[in-house]
Amino acid sequence: MLKALTEWSYFNPYYFKELGKLDENVAKRNIAHLRQLQELRDEKIKRDRRRKEEQEKNRESASVTMSELREKYLNLFWKKDSNGKEINSQTRGYLFEDFLRELFLKEGMEVTEPFKIKGEQIDGAFKYEGEHYILEAKWQDAQSASNSLYQFAKKTDGKMYGRGFFISVNGFSPDSVKALVIGKAINTMLVDGEDLVMITEERYSLKELLDSKIKAVQTMGRIYVHIDDLTHKIKE
């Protein structure tokens, strides 16, 4: 029916000219507008299809097993790459980002590469349950990561319903977590190395971790909570 309407070209003279109840110019404008809406819809469908095909391609390329991911993660603790070669801190940071990307893709989640906007360096972004999260990943001591945390919190500001997912392998100082929450809108979740160990050891999936962290933030205002603590409270 929609196709017939957008291709409509016959305007019955009886209704449009003899009776004068209908305006042919208005009818043509409405048809042209309908055609434009259809084109926009079709383009959106094509984009969505291309995006899904790209996601599927990424999932197929990310055929790494969880045991392989666990080995990669453990190697990074020893400052080694997948071949056992020693690496510096900067290289470890890049490999850590690759590890996280593979982890997200393995869970079938949409994830983007690092990018820059208005002078801001974003480590990446991912989509979960219809929401987009910007991602920051740090392999630093707790105090250094805490300093970066304040800067990251500002990145989520100025973005529509901005949500952040900050990963620091060595955790965060208690003072920094407290300062980030008191008197401020909560839009950042914190994850540490132990959380990632839980995932690579398959005690929890990444999606289960996300569900627990999101619930902790939305129901208790806790941005930094151990998944076991949250699970225990839920069971009680």
Side-chain angles (χ1 to χ4, degrees), residues 115 120-126 132-138 144-159 162-168 172 180 187-191 223:
F115 58 91
E120 293 181 351
Q121 176 64 42
I122 306 296
D123 285 348
F126 65 93
H132 292 271
Y133 296 78
I134 61 173
L135 176 67
E136 186 91 356
K138 296 293 181 185
S144 297
S146 297
N147 294 335
S148 301
L149 177 58
Y150 302 135
Q151 299 173 7
F152 177 71
K154 293 180 181 178
K155 292 179 183 180
T156 61
D157 295 338
K159 298 174 178 62
R163 293 188 176 193
F165 194 73
F166 195 108
I167 302 174
S168 171
F172 307 86
L180 196 66
N187 52 17
T188 300
M189 293 182 296
L190 307 182
V191 174
I223 64 172

Side-chain angles (χ1 to χ4, degrees), residues 78-231:
W78 297 103
K79 278 196 172 183
K80 294 181 179 180
D81 61 18
S82 298
N83 299 316
K85 182 180 177 181
E86 291 190 5
I87 54 177
N88 58 31
S89 297
Q90 185 179 36
T91 301
R92 179 169 65 178
Y94 292 138
L95 292 178
F96 182 46
E97 291 179 7
D98 291 340
F99 160 80
L100 292 172
R101 180 176 178 275
E102 288 181 307
L103 180 61
F104 277 90
L105 288 174
K106 183 171 180 58
E107 292 271 351
M109 297 169 62
E110 181 180 338
V111 59
T112 64
E113 299 287 347
F115 58 91
K116 281 187 177 182
I117 49 172
K118 296 181 180 178
E120 293 181 351
Q121 176 64 42
I122 306 296
D123 285 348
F126 65 93
K127 185 178 181 181
Y128 181 64
E129 296 293 336
E131 296 287 348
H132 292 271
Y133 296 78
I134 61 173
L135 176 67
E136 186 91 356
K138 296 293 181 185
W139 199 302
Q140 301 172 330
D141 60 66
Q143 188 59 49
S144 297
S146 297
N147 294 335
S148 301
L149 177 58
Y150 302 135
Q151 299 173 7
F152 177 71
K154 293 180 181 178
K155 292 179 183 180
T156 61
D157 295 338
K159 298 174 178 62
M160 187 173 68
Y161 309 118
R163 293 188 176 193
F165 194 73
F166 195 108
I167 302 174
S168 171
V169 173
N170 292 311
F172 307 86
S173 69
D175 289 343
S176 66
V177 177
K178 185 177 180 180
L180 196 66
V181 173
I182 295 179
K184 299 180 180 68
I186 299 176
N187 52 17
T188 300
M189 293 182 296
L190 307 182
V191 174
D192 61 24
E194 189 173 358
D195 290 322
L196 297 177
V197 168
M198 294 285 189
I199 295 173
T200 58
E201 290 183 350
E202 300 185 76
R203 288 186 56 183
Y204 305 101
S205 69
L206 176 59
K207 290 182 178 179
E208 287 173 333
L209 177 82
L210 285 170
D211 285 337
S212 297
K213 295 283 185 177
I214 293 170
K215 184 169 185 177
V217 172
Q218 293 183 337
T219 63
M220 295 183 285
R222 298 175 64 185
I223 64 172
Y224 188 33
V225 57
H226 193 286
I227 188 172
D228 276 345
D229 292 342
L230 181 59
T231 304

